[in-house]
Amino acid sequence: MKIIYQDRELETASSTLTQFLMEHKLAGNTLILEYNEEILNSSPGNLPERPLAAGDRINVFSVVAGG
Amino acid sequence: MSVNGYLSEEERSILESATVGIAGAGGLGSNCAAHLVRSGVRHFVIADFDVVSASNLNRQFFFCDQVGQKKVDALRENLLRIEPALQLEMHDIKITTLNIHEIFRSCCIVAEAFDTTESKSMFLRALSSSKKMLVSVSGIAGWGKSNEIQLKKVGKNLILIGDFKSGVDAQTLQFPASPRVGIAAAMQANSIIASLLGHPL
């Protein structure tokens, strides 16, 4: 199935959002996870259980120190 | 008297009736607040527990003779020198998941202006499901790379600013400096004003 990851089309075998995040090593306390325009918690142990569907949009942004 | 004489009556009224929250009064928060005051915002809720130190003067909107003062007190002084008719609710407190909702209860927009990843992440986890517009920053350390600082709309209520990779890191000599921190703080203020006035981000 094809999804949109970081604004680019990507083929994935993952059937859930959690599987996708684990596959791409994206779980973490310092990540912002955007799934179909919804901001979700991506901290380990709190990964969101959502079925993935073709065309789903996933974006991930790193939170780094500085201010 | 109005600091910003270029505003229409309607714009002035919108900006003067908004209450903007700023979580942190360091490099991002102090400079973002100054931009917002100069742009016409009059009501603020600003929280920070820290004191001004000499090492802050490389980028934060404070002065030599304010070293040792609480940041919220020093920032109040400086903002009132730009516009005496401000309504400032200053909190000398460390922001946590336990108090963040109460501190920023009256704010329609809150700028995240922390320096650590833990505080930034806490802010986003605590408020991203709220109805408030949030403006957060990630990746502003070092020099140069101006074109890499981006603005992204994330979800329905989050604006993210930064390059998302240049973190402050003493081991790699990546420090926060006035130009890049200032760019991000100005972008925060710019996007807050645009959101309030209904302009494109």
Side-chain angles (χ1 to χ4, degrees):
Chain A
M1 134 175 88
K2 284 182 178 164
I3 62 151
I4 311 294
Y5 173 58
Q6 307 292 68
D7 296 327
R8 290 184 182 174
E9 213 172 58
L10 180 74
E11 185 73 36
T12 180
S14 301
S15 59
T16 68
L17 181 56
T18 298
Q19 275 180 19
F20 181 85
L21 296 173
M22 300 299 281
E23 181 189 342
H24 292 267
K25 298 185 171 56
L26 292 174
N29 283 322
T30 56
L31 286 177
I32 300 164
L33 168 64
E34 181 188 35
Y35 170 69
N36 291 342
E37 297 193 350
E38 188 181 356
I39 300 167
L40 299 175
N41 192 337
S42 63
S43 55
N46 287 300
L47 292 176
E49 280 302 330
R50 305 285 175 95
L52 270 192
D56 277 354
R57 289 181 169 271
I58 300 171
N59 288 306
V60 170
F61 305 92
S62 293
V63 178
V64 297
Chain B
M1 187 196 91
S2 172
V3 166
N4 191 337
Y6 298 110
L7 296 170
S8 68
E9 277 305 312
E10 187 188 0
E11 289 169 330
R12 180 174 295 116
S13 168
I14 291 170
L15 296 181
E16 289 185 357
S17 62
T19 301
V20 174
I22 301 183
L28 292 169
S30 63
N31 288 303
C32 179
H35 284 298
L36 291 171
V37 170
R38 294 186 199 281
S39 302
V41 176
R42 291 290 169 268
H43 299 79
F44 293 88
V45 176
I46 301 175
D48 196 299
F49 68 96
D50 206 359
V51 297
V52 179
S53 67
S55 65
N56 298 150
L57 300 180
N58 77 331
R59 67 193 188 283
Q60 303 188 15
F61 177 42
F62 300 113
F63 301 94
C64 284
D65 59 0
Q66 294 178 316
V67 169
Q69 275 188 45
K70 299 296 293 191
K71 285 186 178 177
V72 287
D73 295 334
L75 185 56
R76 181 206 308 270
E77 258 177 46
N78 297 344
L79 296 177
L80 289 172
R81 288 186 69 186
I82 301 171
E83 168 57 84
L86 297 178
Q87 291 194 24
L88 300 173
E89 183 184 320
M90 310 300 273
H91 294 263
D92 175 16
I93 195 169
K94 184 173 174 63
I95 300 169
T96 70
T97 50
L98 299 178
N99 60 23
I100 191 167
H101 291 279
E102 183 56 27
I103 291 171
F104 296 111
R105 182 176 37 85
S106 61
C107 304
C108 56
I109 298 186
V110 188
E112 176 275 303
F114 292 121
D115 52 357
T116 67
T117 53
E118 293 76 15
S119 300
K120 288 172 182 289
S121 300
M122 177 278 294
F123 174 95
L124 293 168
R125 274 198 305 274
L127 294 184
S128 61
S129 58
S130 76
K131 298 229 180 329
K132 300 179 193 302
M133 179 63 77
L134 310 175
V135 186
S136 183
V137 171
S138 174
I140 40 84
W143 311 100
K145 300 175 289 180
S146 300
N147 279 345
E148 294 182 18
I149 298 178
Q150 308 170 55
L151 183 149
K152 299 263 191 192
K153 181 84 191 292
V154 180
K156 292 180 177 60
N157 64 332
L158 173 62
I159 295 165
L160 267 182
I161 291 161
D163 66 15
F164 314 114
K165 58 187 179 192
S166 300
V168 169
D169 183 354
Q171 289 187 329
T172 57
L173 299 179
Q174 285 268 62
F175 296 107
S178 188
R180 283 188 115 228
V181 173
I183 289 168
M187 287 175 74
Q188 280 185 294
N190 195 29
S191 55
I192 288 169
I193 299 294
S195 295
L196 290 170
L197 296 181
H199 290 295
L201 294 174

